[in-house]
Amino acid sequence: MKKILFIIGSLRKESFNKKLAEEVEQMLSGRATVEYLDYSDVPLMNQDIEFPAPEAVKRVREKVAEADALWIFSPEYNYSYPGHLKNLIDWLSRPLIAGDRQTPLAINGKKVALSGAGGASATAKCREKLTELLTLPFIRAEVMTEPQTGIQLNMEAWTEGRMMLTEAQRSSLKRQVDAFIDYISDLHITKKETTNISDLFQVLDLLDNMKIQYWLDGGWGVDALYGKQTRTHRDIDIDFDAQYHDELLTLLQKKGYLIETDCYPNRIELHSEKLGYIDIHPFVLNSDGTSKQADLNGGWYEFQPDFFGTAVLEGRTIPCISLKAQKVFHTGYELRDKDIHDLAILERI
């Protein structure tokens, strides 16, 4: 059987998330072995004591390395994760030897499930930010993004310390248990459903080497304008000079991308097992700086020269859709949660 290491995001003895973990442990009985990680003695991350690593840090690294998978149960603190949980992950993300970024870390490639019990938001923001953190290019954990379980605690939990799960909540946990057992199975092939900044830069390297004109669009384009990653991104949106359509498509397919959705000449979505999703949008460029993109009804979207610019993300200058264009592109349809997030980011710029 697989060994799953439970990490509780609350250090409180009677933690609701510890009780939630115990519910899951019962559901896993006979299907996986469970161990709880004790990290209460891990010191605050401090480079003065990093090498050699403190004994508590060595112990948690060994426990993580020995496990086949991790399951994190965490409350939400101020729309994010608790500081002590972040501190644990900070230690797990640090190199084992000073300056050595080549030796794999215990958490690299580790499959992770996320659940949480809390207030009205049912820990949604905590789980979102944990996913973003754990999938950073130097951590590279494999988070099961769906299904996850968020529990809105009953009133008795707050007033009497008694957490009582509804049948619907138990059913959600059971679905997550079944899905995670499949996710960590040796027979399971994980499809990459998110892109990180390393994926983005590898795609941009391909485009730069082709020496074609392109602009970063979509959610990554918003984050480039803002100067840092603010959320998890499913795909990488690229607007590019349409005259290079065949050349770009051929190159992407040689790099392992397969076409998933073909709406040419409007857009084509491709997926790579290594780099995830990319959505390419051919733009016809005019000599006066304007451009146009085919719509799905045989017409055209037309864009002015000020719809295009550059931004800097992690020290790299990137051609991208302008702030003005991003605001225009976020109109005319029913906004999803990620669109509302992106618009809030755009308003801060």
Side-chain angles (χ1 to χ4, degrees), residues 17-28:
N17 281 275
K18 172 71 161 33
K19 294 175 181 178
L20 186 64
E22 290 168 350
E23 293 279 347
V24 171
E25 182 180 9
Q26 292 181 22
M27 295 178 183
L28 285 167

Side-chain angles (χ1 to χ4, degrees), residues 9 12 28 49 175 183 208 221 233 235 239 248 256 269 341:
R12 189 169 69 92
L28 285 167
I49 62 171
R175 284 194 299 272
Y183 190 68
D208 287 340
H233 299 283
D235 58 6
D239 305 329
L248 176 58
E269 183 182 67
H341 168 91

Side-chain angles (χ1 to χ4, degrees), residues 180-193:
F180 198 49
I181 288 293
D182 176 65
Y183 190 68
I184 65 177
S185 165
D186 293 333
L187 301 177
H188 181 83
I189 299 174
T190 303
K191 186 172 186 178
K192 184 172 171 59
E193 295 287 350

Side-chain angles (χ1 to χ4, degrees), residues 236-253:
I236 298 167
D237 287 279
I238 298 293
D239 305 329
F240 70 100
D241 186 344
Q243 67 175 313
Y244 294 99
H245 171 267
D246 291 344
E247 185 179 344
L248 176 58
L249 196 58
T250 298
L251 175 63
L252 291 173
Q253 290 173 319

Side-chain angles (χ1 to χ4, degrees), residues 84-154:
H84 44 267
L85 179 58
K86 172 65 160 54
N87 183 62
L88 170 67
I89 297 171
D90 286 344
W91 275 111
L92 291 173
S93 74
R94 298 295 296 170
L96 304 180
I97 302 171
D100 177 13
R101 281 292 183 183
Q102 303 303 313
T103 302
L105 307 176
I107 200 169
N108 291 160
K110 199 67 68 174
K111 295 185 177 181
V112 183
L114 300 176
S115 299
S121 71
T123 71
K125 283 294 184 183
C126 172
R127 288 179 281 113
E128 177 186 328
K129 291 182 180 297
L130 273 176
T131 300
E132 178 183 321
L133 174 65
L134 291 166
T135 54
L136 288 172
F138 45 88
I139 296 181
R140 298 195 308 278
E142 297 181 16
V143 178
M144 186 176 75
T145 55
E146 291 291 341
Q148 295 180 0
T149 304
I151 301 295
Q152 182 177 348
L153 289 165
N154 54 293

Side-chain angles (χ1 to χ4, degrees), residues 26-52:
Q26 292 181 22
M27 295 178 183
L28 285 167
S29 179
R31 306 175 69 184
T33 60
V34 168
E35 183 176 354
Y36 290 78
L37 180 67
D38 179 6
Y39 63 100
S40 58
D41 58 344
V42 171
L44 291 176
M45 175 59 210
N46 181 347
Q47 287 184 302
D48 289 342
I49 62 171
E50 187 172 10
F51 305 107

Side-chain angles (χ1 to χ4, degrees), residues 120-334:
S121 71
T123 71
K125 283 294 184 183
C126 172
R127 288 179 281 113
E128 177 186 328
K129 291 182 180 297
L130 273 176
T131 300
E132 178 183 321
L133 174 65
L134 291 166
T135 54
L136 288 172
F138 45 88
I139 296 181
R140 298 195 308 278
E142 297 181 16
V143 178
M144 186 176 75
T145 55
E146 291 291 341
Q148 295 180 0
T149 304
I151 301 295
Q152 182 177 348
L153 289 165
N154 54 293
M155 182 58 66
E156 291 83 358
W158 304 114
T159 59
E160 303 172 20
R162 294 188 297 118
M163 183 182 77
M164 296 180 289
L165 299 181
T166 65
E167 285 305 311
Q169 290 170 336
R170 290 183 190 279
S171 294
S172 294
L173 275 179
K174 181 65 166 58
R175 284 194 299 272
Q176 188 178 13
V177 165
D178 292 341
F180 198 49
I181 288 293
D182 176 65
Y183 190 68
I184 65 177
S185 165
D186 293 333
L187 301 177
H188 181 83
I189 299 174
T190 303
K191 186 172 186 178
K192 184 172 171 59
E193 295 287 350
T194 60
T195 55
N196 57 44
I197 201 160
S198 174
D199 302 326
L200 172 64
F201 283 179
Q202 289 183 65
V203 167
L204 298 185
D205 287 343
L206 289 176
L207 297 170
D208 287 340
N209 290 335
M210 284 184 68
K211 301 187 184 306
I212 68 170
Q213 197 160 5
Y214 71 88
W215 297 271
L216 182 62
D217 202 342
W220 275 115
V222 172
D223 280 354
L225 290 170
Y226 191 61
K228 68 176 183 179
Q229 184 176 356
T230 65
R231 68 171 175 87
T232 302
H233 299 283
R234 177 180 179 272
D235 58 6
I236 298 167
D237 287 279
I238 298 293
D239 305 329
F240 70 100
D241 186 344
Q243 67 175 313
Y244 294 99
H245 171 267
D246 291 344
E247 185 179 344
L248 176 58
L249 196 58
T250 298
L251 175 63
L252 291 173
Q253 290 173 319
K254 284 182 178 179
K255 293 295 183 180
Y257 280 95
L258 299 175
I259 294 176
E260 296 250 333
T261 304
D262 190 344
C263 295
Y264 181 78
N266 174 261
R267 57 180 281 266
I268 297 177
E269 183 182 67
L270 304 95
H271 183 269
S272 158
E273 291 184 4
K274 180 181 178 183
L275 298 176
Y277 285 97
I278 184 172
D279 208 347
I280 58 174
H281 307 258
F283 276 35
V284 177
L285 309 183
N286 302 316
S287 58
D288 62 357
T290 62
S291 64
K292 60 183 181 179
Q293 177 192 14
D295 65 25
L296 295 173
N297 300 311
W300 296 93
Y301 301 112
E302 298 188 3
F303 310 118
Q304 296 302 309
D306 61 358
F307 271 37
F308 308 95
T310 61
V312 178
L313 182 62
E314 293 207 354
R316 177 171 184 159
T317 301
I318 302 170
C320 67
I321 296 300
S322 69
L323 175 61
K324 175 182 177 180
Q326 282 283 6
K327 289 183 176 181
V328 171
F329 292 168
H330 281 79
T331 61
Y333 63 96
E334 184 175 349

